[in-house]
Amino acid sequence: MAKDRLDFIDRMKGIAILLVIVGHILQFNKIDGGTNNKLFGIIYSFHMPLFFILSGYVATFGRDRITGLSSFFKSIWRKAYTLLLPLFAWSLIARKYFFASDFQIIGVSDIFNTILNPDLWFLKVLFEIHVLFAIFCLLNYYLSRKGNIYIDLLTFFVILLLPIAGYFWIDTIFFQSLLLYILFFFFGSFLSRYQFLENFLLNNYVYALSLFVFLVFSAHWKFAGNLFDDVLKVVLSIAAFTVLLGITQKSNLPEWADAQMQQMGRESLSIYVMQFYLTNRISFFSWSTGLNQYILFVLVLTLSVLIAYICIFVHKIFEKSAILNLLFYGKRL
């Protein structure tokens, strides 16, 4: 069962990372309206929440490893080098030296900008959520070692008080985003922990309703929207996850295509950290204004697959060095 779940997760991550690339190509190159493009809006209504749901789903597999303060700090340390090392390496070293047109010296302001407002924001937010999740696991270890959904819910709401306090007293915009993604992460965690919740989503009626909701409302979500769009994003993200859950539990793709999709899922971090520096250098789609959205999607998706393979190829080169693999990809051999 565990292996089947990992296959399903890899398939969904593969889909999600390709959608990230498609969205960035449209956004960074302002293709056919950029962030005002309908295709962009549909993708952004759910693709990053999907990553947080899957991250929470996977994180739950190691939840029982936190059995005290020692394992608590060990868990945070592991996430620190897995997520923060690539964040700083790509934001500072790669951006300043590999992709800059002029040789630039890394300054103190660059370091602070990377900490406060990084391009690879997903890694920063995911690390912060993992710290809160580790606190959640530690509290649960002392409160209910056998696991209890009511204890889990109570502990979750206690953890939620921390970003809520930050929302009101520190930085509204930052903590509003953090709160949103915490909800998705813990949604995935609870699904992984309690099988009956996943079974509920796999119900045929729930699947049909989710597909209907996504098809009807996804094109009406706005990237620069208001509170209504935030609420709609939650609904659409859960609906999209439910649909993809039903689709990817068992793959209908040819074996070779399924293998490639799962490889992209396993390499989603290495694709994510590099694709930023490739997707904003595409200017040959300027002619696509007014192009049919389905045709545009096929063209940009094809290019996205190529970019994903380039990112995987570069990772294969870097992983030959244990130091570079750790620094740029957070992976220890």
Side-chain angles (χ1 to χ4, degrees), residues 125 128-129 132 163 174-183:
V125 174
E128 292 161 347
I129 293 177
L132 294 175
F174 168 77
F175 281 98
Q176 179 180 356
S177 178
L178 182 61
L179 273 168
L180 187 65
Y181 291 120
I182 283 175
L183 294 176

Side-chain angles (χ1 to χ4, degrees), residues 105-142:
I105 302 298
I106 298 173
V108 176
S109 62
D110 296 314
I111 297 174
F112 276 106
N113 286 336
T114 300
I115 295 173
L116 297 176
N117 190 32
D119 289 334
L120 302 174
W121 63 269
F122 171 75
L123 300 182
K124 176 176 178 283
V125 174
L126 186 59
F127 173 73
E128 292 161 347
I129 293 177
H130 269 293
V131 171
L132 294 175
F133 183 70
I135 297 173
F136 168 86
C137 294
L138 185 64
L139 291 175
N140 264 274
Y141 172 75
Y142 291 116

Side-chain angles (χ1 to χ4, degrees), residues 19-75:
L19 291 178
V20 167
I21 300 174
V22 170
H24 283 164
I25 290 174
L26 295 173
Q27 178 185 10
F28 296 155
N29 300 281
K30 298 180 175 58
I31 295 175
D32 199 12
T35 57
N36 294 320
N37 182 281
K38 283 291 184 184
L39 177 59
F40 174 88
I42 292 172
I43 291 172
Y44 266 67
S45 71
F46 75 95
H47 78 315
M48 292 314 294
L50 178 60
F51 268 118
F52 283 100
I53 293 173
L54 293 173
S55 297
Y57 198 104
V58 173
T60 301
F61 295 151
R63 145 179 181 163
D64 295 331
R65 296 174 189 165
I66 298 180
T67 57
L69 288 176
S70 176
S71 53
F72 169 78
F73 287 112
K74 183 178 180 180
S75 173

Side-chain angles (χ1 to χ4, degrees), residues 89-90 92-102 274 277 281 314 318 324 328:
W90 286 94
L92 297 175
I93 300 174
R95 186 175 186 179
K96 291 290 185 180
Y97 302 125
F98 298 168
F99 297 103
S101 56
D102 300 315
M274 185 177 178
Y277 307 98
R281 289 168 165 77
V314 171
F318 275 59
L324 293 178
F328 285 93

Side-chain angles (χ1 to χ4, degrees), residues 1 8 15 36 39 73 77 108 110 120 123 126 133 151 171 176 186 192 203 222-223 238-239 246 252-253 257 312 321:
M1 185 65 178
F8 126 75
I15 294 170
N36 294 320
L39 177 59
F73 287 112
W77 170 246
V108 176
D110 296 314
L120 302 174
L123 300 182
L126 186 59
F133 183 70
I151 298 287
D171 187 329
Q176 179 180 356
F186 275 89
S192 180
N203 179 279
K222 295 181 177 59
F223 179 67
I238 294 175
N252 294 318
L253 292 172
I312 293 173
S321 165

Side-chain angles (χ1 to χ4, degrees), residues 260-303:
Q260 296 305 309
M261 183 62 67
Q262 289 189 49
Q263 182 187 23
M264 289 187 185
R266 290 189 297 270
E267 293 278 358
S268 58
L269 175 62
S270 59
I271 295 172
Y272 173 75
V273 293
M274 185 177 178
Q275 55 81 33
F276 264 97
Y277 307 98
L278 301 178
T279 52
N280 62 359
R281 289 168 165 77
I282 298 168
S283 58
F284 48 81
F285 268 105
S286 57
W287 54 267
S288 63
T289 301
L291 189 67
N292 180 280
Q293 293 290 292
Y294 298 107
I295 297 175
L296 178 63
F297 177 70
V298 171
L299 291 174
V300 178
L301 179 62
T302 302
L303 181 59

